[in-house]
Amino acid sequence: MRKPAPASRRTVGLLLILVSACAFGGSGTAAKPLMEAGLTPLDVVWLRAAGASLVLLPVLIKHRQLPRRRPGMLLGFGLFAVAGCQGLSYASLALIPVGISLLIEYLGPALLLGYVRFVQRRRVTRQAAVGATLALAGLGCVVQIWDGFGGLNPWGVLLALGAAFCQVGYFVLAEDVGRQQGSDAPREPVDPIALSAYGLLIGTLVFTAVARPWAMKWSVFAHDASMGGRHVPALLLLGWVVLIATVLAYVTGTAAVGRLSAPVAGVIASLEAVVGTVLAWVLLGEHLAAPQIIGGLLVLTGACVAQTSGVSAAPAHGHGAEVTGQPLPVPGATLPEPAPVTR
């Protein structure tokens, strides 16, 4: 069991995860004007991954042995947490408001609980079930399901849900890796920043095959992009996406790994959706209706409740008592091991 961190260490961890959540929260707000200026979602996500990989090149070189030691983990992180999550997330941004896309993706804990309960057939605590129910009810309010999705593009909603499912895929993979490490001989731990760097590199390779960056409309960066009626240099927005919403967000998030518990980091990381929604409201003019705001609060509350709840190691139909286990991770939060941020 991890010893409680000193107060100063926890304070630094709280500040770091707060910076990370705010940095991640601005990703969609900076990316959407680039899409409206003529780039495709694949163009923007390729630029984000490729630019961050280039900045993190020293990390890749320092940990050049990692692909031989942990190829499965790197591939899973690159495919699910980067290629799948970021690709589907950015595709949804082109069709629905930023805040709604972020809130839908925060269904990750509820979906993960569903996987644990119905696929792994393990018990979940009542508190976790309540959290999942709140998140699902909140989703109904966010998309205004009673009003034919409230004018939202159904494909945008499905793409955001796909990003949430990709989060679940990575969480399951990380749990399997953790069990393997706890079996026979313990393996050398993976540096979270190195994992993020290699995941971004793998994502870049995947996106290169489908985005065809050589055919990108590069002339966009010679002009301004419109951000809520304001003219902003497209290169400045690209710098925001790469340096702040990716590199700074990943580095500060992973630096908080050893300073905070997973539940605390997960709850604070949920501020990402709040920051993203507020920035989109102020800078892009994407206003949410009252039911959507209420639904967003329900989604975040449910995510936090699920995050701080546990699951039982016993089968769902067993006779053992319900035992609280490890807390569940949420999108954007740190994981027990290797504890990357994944937005």
Side-chain angles (χ1 to χ4, degrees):
M1 181 180 296
R2 178 185 294 175
K3 296 180 181 179
S8 59
R9 185 176 175 84
R10 289 197 301 270
T11 300
V12 173
L14 289 171
L15 291 174
L16 287 171
I17 198 66
L18 182 60
V19 170
S20 179
C22 291
F24 272 121
S27 172
T29 304
K32 193 157 188 175
L34 292 175
M35 300 177 197
E36 294 173 346
L39 298 181
T40 68
L42 280 176
D43 291 337
V44 179
V45 78
W46 179 86
L47 288 165
R48 180 186 187 187
S53 298
L54 186 61
V55 175
L56 295 173
L57 184 59
V59 177
L60 295 171
I61 295 174
K62 179 181 178 181
H63 296 273
R64 54 187 175 276
Q65 302 299 325
L66 187 56
R68 281 188 285 182
R69 290 197 296 113
R70 309 300 287 277
M73 176 187 287
L74 297 185
L75 188 62
F77 183 69
L79 293 179
F80 285 103
V82 177
C85 182
Q86 292 189 15
L88 293 173
S89 176
Y90 272 42
S92 74
L93 293 181
L95 301 174
I96 60 177
V98 173
I100 292 177
S101 177
L102 282 173
L103 291 170
I104 292 173
E105 290 169 40
Y106 260 81
L107 283 175
L111 296 175
L112 182 57
L113 283 171
Y115 175 86
V116 168
R117 178 62 181 85
F118 298 108
V119 178
Q120 294 185 337
R121 296 187 178 278
R122 293 159 58 192
R123 292 178 180 176
V124 299
T125 63
R126 290 185 180 88
Q127 181 182 354
V130 169
T133 302
L134 283 175
L136 290 174
L139 173 65
C141 294
V142 168
V143 302
Q144 300 185 78
I145 195 169
W146 60 85
D147 190 27
F149 288 99
L152 292 176
N153 188 312
W155 286 108
V157 174
L158 290 175
L159 288 167
L161 281 172
F165 275 107
C166 284
Q167 291 280 353
V168 174
Y170 175 67
F171 294 151
V172 172
L173 175 67
E175 183 186 34
D176 289 340
V177 171
R179 283 200 297 264
Q180 292 171 11
Q181 284 187 312
S183 56
D184 301 325
R187 296 181 180 180
E188 181 182 349
V190 175
D191 182 274
I193 297 180
L195 176 65
S196 299
Y198 274 102
L200 288 164
L201 179 61
I202 292 171
T204 300
L205 297 176
V206 173
F207 292 134
T208 299
V210 293
R212 300 188 305 144
W214 52 88
M216 188 186 305
K217 191 177 178 182
W218 292 95
S219 59
V220 166
F221 298 108
H223 306 283
D224 292 344
S226 177
M227 175 180 273
R230 307 174 188 87
H231 294 288
V232 181
L235 277 176
L236 181 62
L237 293 174
L238 178 61
W240 180 352
V241 169
V242 172
L243 298 177
I244 298 177
T246 308
V247 176
L248 177 64
Y250 273 84
V251 171
T252 53
T254 52
V257 169
R259 297 173 171 85
L260 296 174
S261 66
V264 172
V267 170
I268 297 175
S270 66
L271 288 174
E272 173 194 341
V274 178
V275 171
T277 302
V278 171
L279 285 177
W281 194 318
V282 174
L283 298 179
L284 301 180
E286 294 183 349
H287 302 280
L288 300 184
Q292 292 174 317
I293 295 175
I294 295 172
L297 293 175
L298 288 175
V299 169
L300 294 178
T301 300
C304 292
V305 170
Q307 163 66 13
T308 54
S309 304
V311 298
S312 171
H317 301 293
H319 299 288
E322 191 175 78
V323 181
T324 299
Q326 291 294 325
L328 296 172
V330 297
T334 54
L335 293 173
E337 206 289 334
V341 284
T342 56
R343 180 70 55 196

